[in-house]
Amino acid sequence: MIASLEVRKTFRRRNLIALGSFALIAALTLGSSVVTAFDWPASLRSFPKAAGWMAANFMPDGRALRNAPKIGAKLAETLLVSVMSTVLAAAFAFFMAILGSKTTRLHPLVSGLVRLIASLCRNIPVVAWAMIFLLSYGQNVLTGLLSLFIGTFGFLTRAFMETVDETAESSVEALKASGAPWLATVTQAVVPSVMPQVASWILYMVETNIRDATLVGILTGTGIGFLFDLYYKSLNFPSAAFVVLCIIVVVLLIETLSNALRRLIL
Amino acid sequence: MAILAINNLTKYYKDVRALTDVSLKVKAGEFVTVIGRSGAGKSTLLRCVNRMIEPSSGRIEFDGTDMRSLGRRDLRRARTRIGMIFQHFNLVPRQTVIENVLHGRLGYKSTLQGSLGIYGDEEKNHAVEVLERLGLAEQMHKRCDQLSGGQKQRVGIARALVQDPRLILCDEPIASLDPSSSKTIMDHLHRISRDMKITILMNLHQVDVAIKYSDRIIGIREGSIVYDGEPRKLKKKTVAEIYGSDADDILFEESPD
């Protein structure tokens, strides 16, 4: 038996929406490549050539390996800056999240202010923060640290607020109803409820910040980003390639480590 | 003597009226059940008593105190004598049973003691004793997320009991439990009201359960009380009126008298 008209209409509508969405994406892709004069065939053809150049020039050699101690030291610096900025930002963000969350806020006005500050810190990209701080602090580690700190603070405040609202709302209601003081509600109900997710967010941010710190380092002239920039601009491609390789290895290592930690906590 | 007196309580959410001119008195030690459809205002009524929801107008007197006149600190003090039990238990799942039960004592503590979670021996012994009475002695050191629904609700009851309350508000305490756990919970609450003389004000969906356990039933429809009386006098017609449906559509048997 053929399906009723109503049922067929519903399914036809669904198919039309799918087709429409696909057409829209295709149009956007084509439209933007026409506007930017992007040459698809040429860019595809250049792949083998680029790979060939990389195989010939972008390969660590003996001279690059001799730079290993220097690269190691700069990598450690970048790693420490990202861990430090994350941990510092997390401490501030947790405090602000408690004031900003609908569940634990003391006053709606304070909560609104916290949300505004967090969103400002979050929505300006870390690289833009770095440029802003470059003007006031110049090219040094503090500039990188500060910009990572601000971006991380904004992001974690938002993430922690959502975690508090999701995981602690019901127990906070219970403790409020029993007449518990506000601070006791936070330390006895909110903190134990949110701890695993908070730790997980911090690990995620450490990973992200190691990547971002590399980029910021190019701007601020510090850490591993600076070293890459230096080698690259002095046409020392083998050493630059070695830096990239080291970064990849460290990022993968950190990710494995943090995944293991996360499994342990959750 | 009335432990709770509600007079002309009205509650608006923005422009929507949730409760209209509700007045009722509850005697000390009484087991009172509120029935009504979802959204009739049962939950709002219950939460107006301890001001987890602020009433728009009216008077609420608990144990001789005008609840609406209280400032922050005095409200906290009044709330320590009102226990509350929730449909979803509202425990801290990652903490142990005994830790969750002791949360009921936080209202009696200074901010410093409470924030550090410092409890006296007397309080700990009391918590253990309450847990034994509720049959949870063996679960005491387990984390709450390892318990069954019925056990979690018993932890919720224990947390309310260590508050030393005069009144316990129960918001759909058996709505997410299976029939056998529901019976255990209702039996415990019944015993608490009978033996400890603690007043119980409860929201329920199951009319038959309400009739079996309550001293008194209050029917609410669209924010107003439409029935207030003994369970055995509740007629099928009244139940149909409370739920706004045909008498024939109600799964309910009148008591024969």
mmCIF file with all atom_site columns, all heavy atoms in Angstrom, chain B residues 185-202:
data_model
loop_
_atom_site.group_PDB
_atom_site.id
_atom_site.type_symbol
_atom_site.label_atom_id
_atom_site.label_alt_id
_atom_site.label_comp_id
_atom_site.label_asym_id
_atom_site.label_entity_id
_atom_site.label_seq_id
_atom_site.pdbx_PDB_ins_code
_atom_site.Cartn_x
_atom_site.Cartn_y
_atom_site.Cartn_z
_atom_site.occupancy
_atom_site.B_iso_or_equiv
_atom_site.pdbx_formal_charge
_atom_site.auth_seq_id
_atom_site.auth_comp_id
_atom_site.auth_asym_id
_atom_site.auth_atom_id
_atom_site.pdbx_PDB_model_num
ATOM 1   N N   . ILE B 1 185 ? 9.835  3.597  50.830 1.00 0.00 ? 185 ILE B N   1
ATOM 2   C CA  . ILE B 1 185 ? 9.970  5.026  51.139 1.00 0.00 ? 185 ILE B CA  1
ATOM 3   C C   . ILE B 1 185 ? 8.726  5.544  51.861 1.00 0.00 ? 185 ILE B C   1
ATOM 4   O O   . ILE B 1 185 ? 8.825  6.229  52.891 1.00 0.00 ? 185 ILE B O   1
ATOM 5   C CB  . ILE B 1 185 ? 10.223 5.835  49.839 1.00 0.00 ? 185 ILE B CB  1
ATOM 6   C CG1 . ILE B 1 185 ? 11.565 5.466  49.199 1.00 0.00 ? 185 ILE B CG1 1
ATOM 7   C CG2 . ILE B 1 185 ? 10.166 7.342  50.110 1.00 0.00 ? 185 ILE B CG2 1
ATOM 8   C CD1 . ILE B 1 185 ? 12.772 5.713  50.065 1.00 0.00 ? 185 ILE B CD1 1
ATOM 9   N N   . MET B 1 186 ? 7.551  5.209  51.352 1.00 0.00 ? 186 MET B N   1
ATOM 10  C CA  . MET B 1 186 ? 6.312  5.691  51.984 1.00 0.00 ? 186 MET B CA  1
ATOM 11  C C   . MET B 1 186 ? 6.176  5.139  53.400 1.00 0.00 ? 186 MET B C   1
ATOM 12  O O   . MET B 1 186 ? 5.753  5.851  54.313 1.00 0.00 ? 186 MET B O   1
ATOM 13  C CB  . MET B 1 186 ? 5.090  5.307  51.139 1.00 0.00 ? 186 MET B CB  1
ATOM 14  C CG  . MET B 1 186 ? 4.955  6.054  49.827 1.00 0.00 ? 186 MET B CG  1
ATOM 15  S SD  . MET B 1 186 ? 4.974  7.859  49.958 1.00 0.00 ? 186 MET B SD  1
ATOM 16  C CE  . MET B 1 186 ? 3.475  8.139  50.888 1.00 0.00 ? 186 MET B CE  1
ATOM 17  N N   . ASP B 1 187 ? 6.556  3.875  53.594 1.00 0.00 ? 187 ASP B N   1
ATOM 18  C CA  . ASP B 1 187 ? 6.485  3.298  54.944 1.00 0.00 ? 187 ASP B CA  1
ATOM 19  C C   . ASP B 1 187 ? 7.413  4.036  55.906 1.00 0.00 ? 187 ASP B C   1
ATOM 20  O O   . ASP B 1 187 ? 7.046  4.316  57.046 1.00 0.00 ? 187 ASP B O   1
ATOM 21  C CB  . ASP B 1 187 ? 6.847  1.802  54.905 1.00 0.00 ? 187 ASP B CB  1
ATOM 22  C CG  . ASP B 1 187 ? 5.716  0.972  54.286 1.00 0.00 ? 187 ASP B CG  1
ATOM 23  O OD1 . ASP B 1 187 ? 4.589  1.495  54.198 1.00 0.00 ? 187 ASP B OD1 1
ATOM 24  O OD2 . ASP B 1 187 ? 5.978  -0.180 53.878 1.00 0.00 ? 187 ASP B OD2 1
ATOM 25  N N   . HIS B 1 188 ? 8.618  4.333  55.427 1.00 0.00 ? 188 HIS B N   1
ATOM 26  C CA  . HIS B 1 188 ? 9.557  5.078  56.276 1.00 0.00 ? 188 HIS B CA  1
ATOM 27  C C   . HIS B 1 188 ? 8.991  6.446  56.641 1.00 0.00 ? 188 HIS B C   1
ATOM 28  O O   . HIS B 1 188 ? 9.029  6.856  57.803 1.00 0.00 ? 188 HIS B O   1
ATOM 29  C CB  . HIS B 1 188 ? 10.902 5.262  55.558 1.00 0.00 ? 188 HIS B CB  1
ATOM 30  C CG  . HIS B 1 188 ? 11.807 4.061  55.698 1.00 0.00 ? 188 HIS B CG  1
ATOM 31  N ND1 . HIS B 1 188 ? 12.197 3.566  56.917 1.00 0.00 ? 188 HIS B ND1 1
ATOM 32  C CD2 . HIS B 1 188 ? 12.397 3.279  54.768 1.00 0.00 ? 188 HIS B CD2 1
ATOM 33  C CE1 . HIS B 1 188 ? 12.984 2.521  56.725 1.00 0.00 ? 188 HIS B CE1 1
ATOM 34  N NE2 . HIS B 1 188 ? 13.122 2.325  55.424 1.00 0.00 ? 188 HIS B NE2 1
ATOM 35  N N   . LEU B 1 189 ? 8.455  7.154  55.637 1.00 0.00 ? 189 LEU B N   1
ATOM 36  C CA  . LEU B 1 189 ? 7.923  8.495  55.899 1.00 0.00 ? 189 LEU B CA  1
ATOM 37  C C   . LEU B 1 189 ? 6.739  8.439  56.851 1.00 0.00 ? 189 LEU B C   1
ATOM 38  O O   . LEU B 1 189 ? 6.570  9.285  57.732 1.00 0.00 ? 189 LEU B O   1
ATOM 39  C CB  . LEU B 1 189 ? 7.523  9.184  54.584 1.00 0.00 ? 189 LEU B CB  1
ATOM 40  C CG  . LEU B 1 189 ? 8.702  9.594  53.701 1.00 0.00 ? 189 LEU B CG  1
ATOM 41  C CD1 . LEU B 1 189 ? 8.231  10.056 52.330 1.00 0.00 ? 189 LEU B CD1 1
ATOM 42  C CD2 . LEU B 1 189 ? 9.523  10.686 54.376 1.00 0.00 ? 189 LEU B CD2 1
ATOM 43  N N   . HIS B 1 190 ? 5.922  7.379  56.692 1.00 0.00 ? 190 HIS B N   1
ATOM 44  C CA  . HIS B 1 190 ? 4.770  7.208  57.574 1.00 0.00 ? 190 HIS B CA  1
ATOM 45  C C   . HIS B 1 190 ? 5.237  7.002  59.011 1.00 0.00 ? 190 HIS B C   1
ATOM 46  O O   . HIS B 1 190 ? 4.719  7.598  59.952 1.00 0.00 ? 190 HIS B O   1
ATOM 47  C CB  . HIS B 1 190 ? 3.944  6.012  57.096 1.00 0.00 ? 190 HIS B CB  1
ATOM 48  C CG  . HIS B 1 190 ? 2.645  5.870  57.815 1.00 0.00 ? 190 HIS B CG  1
ATOM 49  N ND1 . HIS B 1 190 ? 2.327  4.759  58.577 1.00 0.00 ? 190 HIS B ND1 1
ATOM 50  C CD2 . HIS B 1 190 ? 1.600  6.712  57.916 1.00 0.00 ? 190 HIS B CD2 1
ATOM 51  C CE1 . HIS B 1 190 ? 1.129  4.938  59.108 1.00 0.00 ? 190 HIS B CE1 1
ATOM 52  N NE2 . HIS B 1 190 ? 0.657  6.113  58.724 1.00 0.00 ? 190 HIS B NE2 1
ATOM 53  N N   . ARG B 1 191 ? 6.247  6.162  59.174 1.00 0.00 ? 191 ARG B N   1
ATOM 54  C CA  . ARG B 1 191 ? 6.786  5.887  60.517 1.00 0.00 ? 191 ARG B CA  1
ATOM 55  C C   . ARG B 1 191 ? 7.373  7.163  61.137 1.00 0.00 ? 191 ARG B C   1
ATOM 56  O O   . ARG B 1 191 ? 7.224  7.416  62.313 1.00 0.00 ? 191 ARG B O   1
ATOM 57  C CB  . ARG B 1 191 ? 7.875  4.812  60.402 1.00 0.00 ? 191 ARG B CB  1
ATOM 58  C CG  . ARG B 1 191 ? 7.765  3.729  61.471 1.00 0.00 ? 191 ARG B CG  1
ATOM 59  C CD  . ARG B 1 191 ? 8.657  2.561  61.137 1.00 0.00 ? 191 ARG B CD  1
ATOM 60  N NE  . ARG B 1 191 ? 8.178  1.809  59.981 1.00 0.00 ? 191 ARG B NE  1
ATOM 61  C CZ  . ARG B 1 191 ? 8.978  1.247  59.069 1.00 0.00 ? 191 ARG B CZ  1
ATOM 62  N NH1 . ARG B 1 191 ? 10.283 1.383  59.148 1.00 0.00 ? 191 ARG B NH1 1
ATOM 63  N NH2 . ARG B 1 191 ? 8.459  0.552  58.080 1.00 0.00 ? 191 ARG B NH2 1
ATOM 64  N N   . ILE B 1 192 ? 8.062  7.941  60.287 1.00 0.00 ? 192 ILE B N   1
ATOM 65  C CA  . ILE B 1 192 ? 8.666  9.186  60.772 1.00 0.00 ? 192 ILE B CA  1
ATOM 66  C C   . ILE B 1 192 ? 7.591  10.122 61.315 1.00 0.00 ? 192 ILE B C   1
ATOM 67  O O   . ILE B 1 192 ? 7.725  10.702 62.393 1.00 0.00 ? 192 ILE B O   1
ATOM 68  C CB  . ILE B 1 192 ? 9.453  9.878  59.628 1.00 0.00 ? 192 ILE B CB  1
ATOM 69  C CG1 . ILE B 1 192 ? 10.752 9.119  59.390 1.00 0.00 ? 192 ILE B CG1 1
ATOM 70  C CG2 . ILE B 1 192 ? 9.738  11.337 59.946 1.00 0.00 ? 192 ILE B CG2 1
ATOM 71  C CD1 . ILE B 1 192 ? 11.393 9.423  58.055 1.00 0.00 ? 192 ILE B CD1 1
ATOM 72  N N   . SER B 1 193 ? 6.483  10.204 60.593 1.00 0.00 ? 193 SER B N   1
ATOM 73  C CA  . SER B 1 193 ? 5.411  11.100 61.025 1.00 0.00 ? 193 SER B CA  1
ATOM 74  C C   . SER B 1 193 ? 4.735  10.556 62.287 1.00 0.00 ? 193 SER B C   1
ATOM 75  O O   . SER B 1 193 ? 4.426  11.308 63.210 1.00 0.00 ? 193 SER B O   1
ATOM 76  C CB  . SER B 1 193 ? 4.425  11.300 59.877 1.00 0.00 ? 193 SER B CB  1
ATOM 77  O OG  . SER B 1 193 ? 3.150  10.870 60.211 1.00 0.00 ? 193 SER B OG  1
ATOM 78  N N   . ARG B 1 194 ? 4.538  9.219  62.356 1.00 0.00 ? 194 ARG B N   1
ATOM 79  C CA  . ARG B 1 194 ? 3.813  8.640  63.491 1.00 0.00 ? 194 ARG B CA  1
ATOM 80  C C   . ARG B 1 194 ? 4.686  8.592  64.749 1.00 0.00 ? 194 ARG B C   1
ATOM 81  O O   . ARG B 1 194 ? 4.273  9.026  65.816 1.00 0.00 ? 194 ARG B O   1
ATOM 82  C CB  . ARG B 1 194 ? 3.354  7.223  63.123 1.00 0.00 ? 194 ARG B CB  1
ATOM 83  C CG  . ARG B 1 194 ? 2.325  6.632  64.079 1.00 0.00 ? 194 ARG B CG  1
ATOM 84  C CD  . ARG B 1 194 ? 2.128  5.165  63.762 1.00 0.00 ? 194 ARG B CD  1
ATOM 85  N NE  . ARG B 1 194 ? 3.415  4.446  63.827 1.00 0.00 ? 194 ARG B NE  1
ATOM 86  C CZ  . ARG B 1 194 ? 3.664  3.305  63.180 1.00 0.00 ? 194 ARG B CZ  1
ATOM 87  N NH1 . ARG B 1 194 ? 2.735  2.741  62.424 1.00 0.00 ? 194 ARG B NH1 1
ATOM 88  N NH2 . ARG B 1 194 ? 4.838  2.713  63.291 1.00 0.00 ? 194 ARG B NH2 1
ATOM 89  N N   . ASP B 1 195 ? 5.925  8.099  64.615 1.00 0.00 ? 195 ASP B N   1
ATOM 90  C CA  . ASP B 1 195 ? 6.755  7.869  65.803 1.00 0.00 ? 195 ASP B CA  1
ATOM 91  C C   . ASP B 1 195 ? 7.534  9.107  66.243 1.00 0.00 ? 195 ASP B C   1
ATOM 92  O O   . ASP B 1 195 ? 7.790  9.293  67.428 1.00 0.00 ? 195 ASP B O   1
ATOM 93  C CB  . ASP B 1 195 ? 7.750  6.728  65.548 1.00 0.00 ? 195 ASP B CB  1
ATOM 94  C CG  . ASP B 1 195 ? 7.031  5.438  65.199 1.00 0.00 ? 195 ASP B CG  1
ATOM 95  O OD1 . ASP B 1 195 ? 5.807  5.363  65.471 1.00 0.00 ? 195 ASP B OD1 1
ATOM 96  O OD2 . ASP B 1 195 ? 7.674  4.528  64.641 1.00 0.00 ? 195 ASP B OD2 1
ATOM 97  N N   . MET B 1 196 ? 7.949  9.928  65.280 1.00 0.00 ? 196 MET B N   1
ATOM 98  C CA  . MET B 1 196 ? 8.779  11.072 65.648 1.00 0.00 ? 196 MET B CA  1
ATOM 99  C C   . MET B 1 196 ? 7.975  12.357 65.692 1.00 0.00 ? 196 MET B C   1
ATOM 100 O O   . MET B 1 196 ? 8.518  13.410 66.005 1.00 0.00 ? 196 MET B O   1
ATOM 101 C CB  . MET B 1 196 ? 9.952  11.209 64.675 1.00 0.00 ? 196 MET B CB  1
ATOM 102 C CG  . MET B 1 196 ? 10.789 9.936  64.573 1.00 0.00 ? 196 MET B CG  1
ATOM 103 S SD  . MET B 1 196 ? 12.020 10.024 63.264 1.00 0.00 ? 196 MET B SD  1
ATOM 104 C CE  . MET B 1 196 ? 13.192 11.125 64.048 1.00 0.00 ? 196 MET B CE  1
ATOM 105 N N   . LYS B 1 197 ? 6.689  12.249 65.355 1.00 0.00 ? 197 LYS B N   1
ATOM 106 C CA  . LYS B 1 197 ? 5.777  13.414 65.385 1.00 0.00 ? 197 LYS B CA  1
ATOM 107 C C   . LYS B 1 197 ? 6.279  14.552 64.490 1.00 0.00 ? 197 LYS B C   1
ATOM 108 O O   . LYS B 1 197 ? 6.110  15.730 64.804 1.00 0.00 ? 197 LYS B O   1
ATOM 109 C CB  . LYS B 1 197 ? 5.598  13.935 66.830 1.00 0.00 ? 197 LYS B CB  1
ATOM 110 C CG  . LYS B 1 197 ? 5.148  12.871 67.823 1.00 0.00 ? 197 LYS B CG  1
ATOM 111 C CD  . LYS B 1 197 ? 3.646  12.665 67.773 1.00 0.00 ? 197 LYS B CD  1
ATOM 112 C CE  . LYS B 1 197 ? 3.216  11.502 68.669 1.00 0.00 ? 197 LYS B CE  1
ATOM 113 N NZ  . LYS B 1 197 ? 3.052  10.229 67.961 1.00 0.00 ? 197 LYS B NZ  1
ATOM 114 N N   . ILE B 1 198 ? 6.936  14.176 63.389 1.00 0.00 ? 198 ILE B N   1
ATOM 115 C CA  . ILE B 1 198 ? 7.368  15.197 62.435 1.00 0.00 ? 198 ILE B CA  1
ATOM 116 C C   . ILE B 1 198 ? 6.253  15.397 61.404 1.00 0.00 ? 198 ILE B C   1
ATOM 117 O O   . ILE B 1 198 ? 5.714  14.429 60.876 1.00 0.00 ? 198 ILE B O   1
ATOM 118 C CB  . ILE B 1 198 ? 8.677  14.769 61.736 1.00 0.00 ? 198 ILE B CB  1
ATOM 119 C CG1 . ILE B 1 198 ? 9.801  14.688 62.770 1.00 0.00 ? 198 ILE B CG1 1
ATOM 120 C CG2 . ILE B 1 198 ? 9.044  15.740 60.618 1.00 0.00 ? 198 ILE B CG2 1
ATOM 121 C CD1 . ILE B 1 198 ? 11.109 14.153 62.228 1.00 0.00 ? 198 ILE B CD1 1
ATOM 122 N N   . THR B 1 199 ? 5.923  16.652 61.163 1.00 0.00 ? 199 THR B N   1
ATOM 123 C CA  . THR B 1 199 ? 4.861  16.971 60.218 1.00 0.00 ? 199 THR B CA  1
ATOM 124 C C   . THR B 1 199 ? 5.341  16.718 58.789 1.00 0.00 ? 199 THR B C   1
ATOM 125 O O   . THR B 1 199 ? 6.495  17.003 58.474 1.00 0.00 ? 199 THR B O   1
ATOM 126 C CB  . THR B 1 199 ? 4.477  18.455 60.353 1.00 0.00 ? 199 THR B CB  1
ATOM 127 O OG1 . THR B 1 199 ? 4.343  18.745 61.740 1.00 0.00 ? 199 THR B OG1 1
ATOM 128 C CG2 . THR B 1 199 ? 3.181  18.767 59.636 1.00 0.00 ? 199 THR B CG2 1
ATOM 129 N N   . ILE B 1 200 ? 4.450  16.185 57.961 1.00 0.00 ? 200 ILE B N   1
ATOM 130 C CA  . ILE B 1 200 ? 4.840  15.920 56.574 1.00 0.00 ? 200 ILE B CA  1
ATOM 131 C C   . ILE B 1 200 ? 3.881  16.613 55.620 1.00 0.00 ? 200 ILE B C   1
ATOM 132 O O   . ILE B 1 200 ? 2.659  16.475 55.742 1.00 0.00 ? 200 ILE B O   1
ATOM 133 C CB  . ILE B 1 200 ? 4.865  14.399 56.298 1.00 0.00 ? 200 ILE B CB  1
ATOM 134 C CG1 . ILE B 1 200 ? 5.895  13.762 57.212 1.00 0.00 ? 200 ILE B CG1 1
ATOM 135 C CG2 . ILE B 1 200 ? 5.092  14.129 54.816 1.00 0.00 ? 200 ILE B CG2 1
ATOM 136 C CD1 . ILE B 1 200 ? 6.791  12.747 56.624 1.00 0.00 ? 200 ILE B CD1 1
ATOM 137 N N   . LEU B 1 201 ? 4.450  17.370 54.674 1.00 0.00 ? 201 LEU B N   1
ATOM 138 C CA  . LEU B 1 201 ? 3.658  17.981 53.607 1.00 0.00 ? 201 LEU B CA  1
ATOM 139 C C   . LEU B 1 201 ? 4.231  17.468 52.297 1.00 0.00 ? 201 LEU B C   1
ATOM 140 O O   . LEU B 1 201 ? 5.396  17.704 51.995 1.00 0.00 ? 201 LEU B O   1
ATOM 141 C CB  . LEU B 1 201 ? 3.747  19.510 53.675 1.00 0.00 ? 201 LEU B CB  1
ATOM 142 C CG  . LEU B 1 201 ? 2.893  20.292 52.664 1.00 0.00 ? 201 LEU B CG  1
ATOM 143 C CD1 . LEU B 1 201 ? 1.414  20.000 52.829 1.00 0.00 ? 201 LEU B CD1 1
ATOM 144 C CD2 . LEU B 1 201 ? 3.135  21.791 52.799 1.00 0.00 ? 201 LEU B CD2 1
ATOM 145 N N   . MET B 1 202 ? 3.401  16.710 51.542 1.00 0.00 ? 202 MET B N   1
ATOM 146 C CA  . MET B 1 202 ? 3.940  15.963 50.415 1.00 0.00 ? 202 MET B CA  1
ATOM 147 C C   . MET B 1 202 ? 3.154  16.193 49.137 1.00 0.00 ? 202 MET B C   1
ATOM 148 O O   . MET B 1 202 ? 1.933  16.238 49.155 1.00 0.00 ? 202 MET B O   1
ATOM 149 C CB  . MET B 1 202 ? 3.909  14.469 50.768 1.00 0.00 ? 202 MET B CB  1
ATOM 150 C CG  . MET B 1 202 ? 4.374  13.550 49.658 1.00 0.00 ? 202 MET B CG  1
ATOM 151 S SD  . MET B 1 202 ? 4.204  11.805 50.087 1.00 0.00 ? 202 MET B SD  1
ATOM 152 C CE  . MET B 1 202 ? 5.256  11.684 51.499 1.00 0.00 ? 202 MET B CE  1
#
